[in-house]
Coordinates of all heavy atoms in Angstrom, one line a residue:
A195 N -21.7 3.1 14.7 CA -22.6 2.0 14.7 C -23.0 1.7 16.1 O -23.1 2.6 16.9 CB -21.9 0.8 14.0
V196 N -23.2 0.4 16.5 CA -23.6 0.1 17.8 C -22.4 -0.2 18.7 O -21.3 -0.4 18.2 CB -24.6 -1.1 17.8 CG1 -25.9 -0.7 17.1 CG2 -24.0 -2.3 17.2
P197 N -22.6 -0.2 20.0 CA -21.5 -0.4 20.9 C -20.8 -1.8 20.7 O -21.4 -2.8 20.3 CB -22.1 -0.3 22.3 CG -23.3 0.5 22.1 CD -23.8 0.1 20.7
I198 N -19.5 -1.8 21.1 CA -18.7 -3.0 21.0 C -17.6 -2.7 22.1 O -17.4 -1.6 22.6 CB -18.0 -3.1 19.6 CG1 -17.3 -4.4 19.5 CG2 -17.1 -1.9 19.4 CD1 -16.7 -4.6 18.1
S199 N -17.0 -3.8 22.5 CA -15.9 -3.6 23.5 C -14.6 -3.5 22.7 O -14.4 -4.1 21.6 CB -15.8 -4.7 24.5 OG -15.2 -5.8 24.0
L200 N -13.6 -2.8 23.2 CA -12.3 -2.7 22.6 C -11.7 -4.1 22.6 O -11.0 -4.5 21.6 CB -11.4 -1.7 23.4 CG -10.1 -1.3 22.7 CD1 -10.3 -0.8 21.3 CD2 -9.3 -0.4 23.6
G201 N -12.0 -4.9 23.6 CA -11.5 -6.3 23.6 C -12.1 -7.1 22.4 O -11.4 -8.0 21.8
D202 N -13.4 -6.9 22.1 CA -14.0 -7.6 21.0 C -13.2 -7.3 19.7 O -13.0 -8.1 18.9 CB -15.4 -7.2 20.8 CG -16.3 -7.7 21.9 OD1 -16.0 -8.7 22.5 OD2 -17.4 -7.1 22.2
E203 N -12.9 -6.0 19.6 CA -12.2 -5.5 18.3 C -10.9 -6.2 18.2 O -10.5 -6.7 17.1 CB -12.0 -4.0 18.4 CG -12.0 -3.3 17.1 CD -12.3 -1.8 17.2 OE1 -12.0 -1.2 18.3 OE2 -12.9 -1.2 16.3
F204 N -10.1 -6.3 19.3 CA -8.8 -6.9 19.2 C -8.9 -8.5 19.1 O -8.0 -9.1 18.5 CB -8.0 -6.5 20.4 CG -7.2 -5.3 20.2 CD1 -7.8 -4.0 20.3 CD2 -5.8 -5.3 19.9 CE1 -7.0 -2.9 20.0 CE2 -5.1 -4.2 19.7 CZ -5.7 -2.9 19.7
S205 N -10.0 -9.0 19.6 CA -10.2 -10.5 19.4 C -10.3 -10.8 17.9 O -9.9 -11.9 17.5 CB -11.4 -11.0 20.2 OG -12.6 -10.6 19.6
G206 N -11.0 -9.9 17.2 CA -11.1 -10.1 15.7 C -9.7 -10.0 15.1 O -9.5 -10.8 14.1
Y207 N -8.9 -9.1 15.5 CA -7.5 -9.1 14.9 C -6.8 -10.4 15.2 O -6.1 -10.9 14.3 CB -6.7 -7.9 15.5 CG -7.4 -6.5 15.3 CD1 -7.2 -5.5 16.3 CD2 -8.2 -6.3 14.2 CE1 -7.7 -4.2 16.1 CE2 -8.8 -5.0 14.1 CZ -8.6 -4.0 15.0 OH -9.1 -2.8 14.9
A208 N -6.8 -10.8 16.4 CA -6.1 -12.1 16.8 C -6.7 -13.2 15.9 O -5.9 -14.1 15.5 CB -6.3 -12.4 18.3
A209 N -8.0 -13.3 15.7 CA -8.6 -14.4 14.9 C -8.1 -14.3 13.5 O -7.9 -15.4 12.9 CB -10.1 -14.3 15.0
Q210 N -7.9 -13.1 13.0 CA -7.4 -13.0 11.6 C -6.0 -13.7 11.5 O -5.7 -14.4 10.5 CB -7.2 -11.6 11.2 CG -8.5 -10.9 10.7 CD -8.2 -9.5 10.2 OE1 -8.1 -8.5 11.0 NE2 -8.0 -9.3 8.9
I211 N -5.1 -13.5 12.5 CA -3.8 -14.0 12.5 C -3.9 -15.6 12.7 O -3.1 -16.3 12.0 CB -2.9 -13.4 13.5 CG1 -2.8 -11.9 13.3 CG2 -1.5 -14.0 13.6 CD1 -2.2 -11.5 11.9
Q212 N -4.8 -16.0 13.5 CA -4.9 -17.5 13.7 C -5.3 -18.1 12.5 O -4.8 -19.2 12.1 CB -5.9 -17.7 14.9 CG -6.1 -19.2 15.1 CD -4.8 -19.9 15.5 OE1 -4.2 -19.6 16.5 NE2 -4.3 -20.9 14.7
R213 N -6.2 -17.5 11.7 CA -6.7 -18.1 10.5 C -5.5 -18.1 9.4 O -5.4 -19.0 8.6 CB -7.9 -17.4 10.0 CG -9.2 -18.0 10.7 CD -10.3 -17.0 10.6 NE -11.5 -17.6 11.3 CZ -11.6 -17.7 12.6 NH1 -10.7 -17.4 13.4 NH2 -12.7 -18.3 13.1
G214 N -4.7 -17.1 9.5 CA -3.5 -17.1 8.6 C -2.6 -18.3 9.0 O -2.1 -19.0 8.0
L215 N -2.4 -18.6 10.2 CA -1.6 -19.7 10.6 C -2.3 -21.0 10.2 O -1.6 -22.0 9.7 CB -1.5 -19.7 12.2 CG -0.5 -18.7 12.7 CD1 -0.7 -18.5 14.2 CD2 1.0 -19.1 12.5
D216 N -3.6 -21.1 10.2 CA -4.3 -22.3 9.8 C -4.1 -22.5 8.3 O -3.9 -23.6 7.8 CB -5.8 -22.2 10.1 CG -6.1 -22.2 11.6 OD1 -5.2 -22.6 12.3 OD2 -7.2 -21.8 11.9
R217 N -4.1 -21.4 7.5 CA -3.9 -21.5 6.1 C -2.5 -22.0 5.7 O -2.3 -22.8 4.8 CB -4.2 -20.2 5.4 CG -5.6 -19.7 5.5 CD -5.9 -18.4 4.8 NE -7.3 -18.0 4.8 CZ -7.8 -17.1 5.7 NH1 -7.1 -16.5 6.6 NH2 -9.1 -16.9 5.7
L218 N -1.5 -21.5 6.5 CA -0.1 -22.0 6.2 C 0.0 -23.5 6.6 O 0.6 -24.2 5.8 CB 0.8 -21.2 7.1 CG 1.1 -19.7 6.7 CD1 2.0 -19.1 7.8 CD2 1.8 -19.7 5.3
A219 N -0.6 -23.9 7.6 CA -0.6 -25.3 8.0 C -1.2 -26.2 6.9 O -0.7 -27.3 6.7 CB -1.2 -25.5 9.4
A220 N -2.2 -25.7 6.3 CA -3.0 -26.5 5.3 C -2.1 -26.7 4.0 O -2.4 -27.7 3.3 CB -4.3 -25.8 4.9
V221 N -1.2 -25.8 3.7 CA -0.4 -26.0 2.5 C 0.9 -26.8 2.7 O 1.6 -27.1 1.8 CB -0.1 -24.6 1.8 CG1 1.1 -23.9 2.5 CG2 0.2 -24.7 0.4
E222 N 1.2 -27.0 4.0 CA 2.5 -27.7 4.3 C 2.7 -29.1 3.6 O 3.7 -29.4 3.1 CB 2.7 -27.9 5.8 CG 3.1 -26.6 6.5 CD 3.4 -26.8 7.9 OE1 3.5 -28.0 8.4 OE2 3.6 -25.8 8.7
G223 N 1.6 -29.8 3.5 CA 1.6 -31.1 2.9 C 2.0 -31.1 1.4 O 2.8 -31.9 0.9
R224 N 1.5 -30.1 0.7 CA 1.9 -29.9 -0.7 C 3.3 -29.4 -0.9 O 4.0 -29.8 -1.8 CB 0.8 -29.1 -1.4 CG -0.5 -29.8 -1.6 CD -1.6 -28.9 -2.2 NE -2.1 -27.9 -1.4 CZ -2.9 -28.1 -0.3 NH1 -3.3 -29.3 0.0 NH2 -3.4 -27.1 0.4
L225 N 3.7 -28.5 0.0 CA 5.1 -28.0 -0.1 C 6.1 -29.0 0.2 O 7.2 -28.9 -0.2 CB 5.2 -26.8 0.8 CG 4.7 -25.4 0.4 CD1 4.8 -24.4 1.5 CD2 5.4 -24.9 -0.8
S226 N 5.7 -30.0 1.0 CA 6.7 -31.1 1.4 C 7.0 -32.1 0.2 O 7.9 -32.9 0.3 CB 6.1 -31.9 2.6 OG 5.0 -32.6 2.2
E227 N 6.2 -32.0 -0.9 CA 6.5 -32.8 -2.1 C 7.6 -32.2 -2.9 O 7.6 -31.1 -3.3 CB 5.2 -33.0 -2.9 CG 4.1 -33.7 -2.2 CD 2.9 -34.0 -3.2 OE1 3.1 -33.7 -4.4 OE2 1.9 -34.5 -2.7
L228 N 8.6 -33.0 -3.2 CA 9.8 -32.6 -4.0 C 9.8 -33.3 -5.3 O 9.5 -34.5 -5.4 CB 11.1 -32.9 -3.2 CG 11.2 -32.2 -1.8 CD1 12.6 -32.5 -1.2 CD2 10.9 -30.8 -1.8
T229 N 10.3 -32.6 -6.3 CA 10.4 -33.1 -7.7 C 11.7 -33.9 -7.9 O 11.9 -34.5 -9.0 CB 10.3 -32.0 -8.7 OG1 11.4 -31.1 -8.4 CG2 9.0 -31.3 -8.6
L230 N 12.6 -33.9 -7.0 CA 13.9 -34.6 -7.2 C 13.7 -36.0 -7.7 O 12.9 -36.7 -7.1 CB 14.7 -34.6 -5.9 CG 16.2 -34.9 -6.0 CD1 16.9 -33.9 -6.8 CD2 16.8 -35.0 -4.6
G231 N 14.4 -36.4 -8.7 CA 14.3 -37.7 -9.3 C 13.6 -37.7 -10.6 O 13.6 -38.6 -11.4

Side-chain angles (χ1 to χ4, degrees):
V196 295
I198 188 176
S199 81
L200 191 57
D202 289 337
E203 212 160 27
F204 271 77
S205 75
Y207 303 151
Q210 281 186 276
I211 301 302
Q212 181 57 63
R213 278 157 179 73
L215 286 163
D216 293 343
R217 291 182 179 101
L218 287 174
V221 80
E222 283 187 10
R224 288 178 288 284
L225 281 172
S226 67
E227 293 187 5
L228 303 185
T229 57
L230 193 61

